[in-house]
Amino acid sequence: MADSRIKALASLHTRANLLLLLFGCASLALYQLSLRAHSSDNILWFLKIVLLGSLLFLATSWVVLRARPSGSTFLIVVVFAALFRLSLLFAPPYLSDDIYRYVWDGRVQAAGINPYRYIPADPALAHLRDDQIYPRINRRDNAHTMYPPVAEGVWFFTTRVSESVTWMKTTMICFEAIAMWAIAQLLGSFGLPRQRIVLYAWHPLTVWEFAGSGHLDAIAIAFISLTLLARRRNAETATGLALASATLVKLFPAVLFAAMYKRGRWKMPLILAITTIVAYLPYLGVGPRGVIGFLPGYAEERGIVSGEQFFILAAARRLPLGFHIPTIAYIVFAILLLAVLAVWMVRKQTPQDDNYVTNSLILACTFIVLLAPHFPWYFAWITPFVCFVPSVAAIYLTLSSFLLYLTWIYWTDDQVFRIKAAIYIPFFFLVSFSLWKRREKLKTKLPRRRPFRPKRMPEQTTERNSKPYVSVIVAALNEEEALAQVIRAIPRDVANEIIVVDNGSTDRTAEVAYSAGAQVILELQRGYGRAYRAGLRGISENCRIVVFLDGDGSDYPEMMDRLVQPIIEGTHDFVIGSRTRGHREPGSMNLHQIFAGYMIGLFLRMLYGVRYTDMGPFRAIRRDVLERLRMREQTYGWPLEMQLKAARAGLRILEVPVDYRCRAGGRSKIAGTIRGSLKAATRILFTLVRLASQRQEDQEDS
């Protein structure tokens, strides 16, 4: 019986190899046939060939994933991968002309000239022009190069061998060989068959974009693969160096930092930062802004500034919402979503964490979907992760990216939107279906978890008949127009003292506050958190409840009793006023503020089971528990720090609706400008990552 089983397995193995040989020969024939499409006029012919090639790739993947591990199968995969690339190596690229800029930048550097200094058409470079490379450079009349320094270094060394397109494509194939070696090593270390490399090596996207068009993404993929391997071997220095090199080729891999980072370790981030700085040093003769090159112009050209590139934003704008969603709101949403994923991954780490490859795939797919680029080769860096996690959704995303070549023919905004819909809508469906299947599987295997019960902090002991002392702290910066009205509106039957912190105003803010009957504290060093900390140092020793309030007149101090009464009654420790749940005056809150509040709330609910809908400034908290939180944030992250630490400490938290209106005077320091919004968002995200990755004992009293 054992002999018959061995014979059956051998027969299956032979059939798998025969199928692999058949599919390999058919795919090779298709690559040769596709060379007939030698211009944009034949793009539909090319896409028909790609469709057949994609079907062959899916069939091949199905066979290899089910075949037993075998050295002969792996050899067949590698040999045909090389043949596919050789079949396209000597053909001139017609799907993209980026490779001519690569050769040009290498030539410019060889002449001793900073490639970021001049556009190709500049008279200073006239002596470098020729009839083969220069006429084919895209945007040669108006665009500086925008490729990062590691890519520029590769261009330089490649062109010292030969300033030809074929040799530049050869360089990309060599980097692909490095990537395949690293992937094979990593597969073996995980106990997975090395033949699964077929999911990268035979993927039509990698073959066409690297051997066919010679895109630099092959270099980034090589360094990403080396990063994964170094992470597997716990080599922090090599991980930081490889991840920095990948990022310095095409910026995207920076989003993988959270997957590669080991909580509490400092060496990898330090090496990454040092490598980045050192790589840019040789090119800083044009200044920090100069090394960015054409990147801002590219963002505007591709519709990033207008928002039309982003499929999700474009889809939302086509809904009958009754208002226009600004691009900055979507960018803040995207950053917050990636930050939530990053913090979640860091917090879920274990000492034997091996989920970094899966996490990398999640981050890469999320980033690509949020960005929704116009070109297929931007999707290629997802393919290495699929060798380890053969996700149907990710495979569809990479294969369907070829549809973007239809934008050569159908280029209007509505046409491009429909093309992208054909890529992303099925992807969303496949992801949803996969998550549903996984959830159903977990339901049948995992025991039901106990409900989360936050620990209670001891309640403040006060006499029932005595009213606790309430201190109100108002932060103000150039608020002379609104401040008097704010102070007069504070109910005196609730507040025992009012403290206004003048955070370095240049108008009559302090004088107005004093005239209105408030105590005034000067804090000349600006910072939202600094202002409130200065106010806390000045409150009365009798204070039992602290209320925080902005001085711009947008809050309704008359509603203070809603916040204070639950604390007086002993049912809650911390009460925050939610502007999103109350009545908002039109124009009082920007859309990105609302998005940020809900996203932060979603994140904290996932971590601690606490529901927030806003990060509003109007809030009340018991003094003793506030002191236990040990607030440290100095700037815009102060409200978030309080909410996160309160959730982590298990406080009894209540969110009540409060009304909100447009500011009564002065100028907004955050929401009123794009710069202020981005600055605040950056600081808030930094605070979120820093605090969520800290250990809980940092928040407890010694």
Side-chain angles (χ1 to χ4, degrees), residues 414-435:
D414 287 338
Q415 290 170 333
V416 172
F417 175 78
R418 286 194 288 271
I419 292 170
K420 289 187 175 182
I423 297 172
Y424 296 111
I425 291 178
F427 171 77
F428 294 146
F429 172 79
L430 290 170
V431 169
S432 301
F433 181 75
S434 175
L435 292 175

Side-chain angles (χ1 to χ4, degrees), residues 104 107-108 110-113 118 120-130 134:
W104 176 260
R107 180 184 297 174
V108 170
I113 301 171
Y118 303 111
D122 194 287
L125 304 181
H127 63 289
L128 300 177
R129 298 172 190 167
D130 63 358
Y134 177 76

Side-chain angles (χ1 to χ4, degrees), residues 74 131 153 163 232 317 350 357 396 425 473 505 517 521 525 536 547 554 571 582 647 662 665 673 680:
F74 176 69
D131 296 331
E163 294 184 0
R232 176 65 172 168
R317 285 177 174 176
T350 62
V357 179
Y396 172 80
I425 291 178
I473 302 177
S505 300
I521 295 177
Q525 189 174 6
L536 287 171
V547 178
S554 53
T571 59
C662 296
T673 64

Side-chain angles (χ1 to χ4, degrees), residues 220 222-228 230 237-247 253 271 275:
F223 283 118
I224 289 172
S225 303
L226 292 173
T227 302
L228 295 172
T237 299
T239 302
L241 185 63
L243 182 58
S245 299
T247 304
I271 294 297
T275 304

Side-chain angles (χ1 to χ4, degrees), residues 544-546 548 567 573-574 620-623 625-626 629:
R544 294 293 176 265
I545 300 173
V546 185
F548 298 97
I567 301 177
D573 307 308
F574 175 39
I621 189 170
R622 278 171 34 193
R623 179 184 182 178
V625 298
L626 177 61
L629 296 183

Side-chain angles (χ1 to χ4, degrees), residues 15-88:
R15 277 186 283 176
N17 281 355
L18 287 175
L19 284 173
L20 201 58
L21 288 169
L22 176 63
F23 293 154
C25 292
S27 298
L28 186 61
L30 283 177
Y31 284 118
Q32 289 295 318
L33 186 61
S34 64
L35 294 177
R36 288 177 51 189
H38 52 77
S39 69
S40 60
D41 297 334
N42 304 108
I43 196 62
L44 291 177
W45 164 261
F46 167 76
L47 290 176
K48 292 175 183 177
I49 297 297
V50 166
L51 175 60
L52 293 175
S54 298
L55 294 175
L56 280 172
F57 169 72
L58 292 174
T60 301
S61 301
W62 185 86
V63 170
V64 170
L65 289 173
R66 282 156 180 78
R68 69 182 181 90
S70 168
S72 60
T73 304
F74 176 69
L75 180 62
I76 293 172
V77 169
V78 172
V79 169
F80 272 103
L83 291 175
F84 295 161
R85 285 156 176 80
L86 286 173
S87 68
L88 300 178

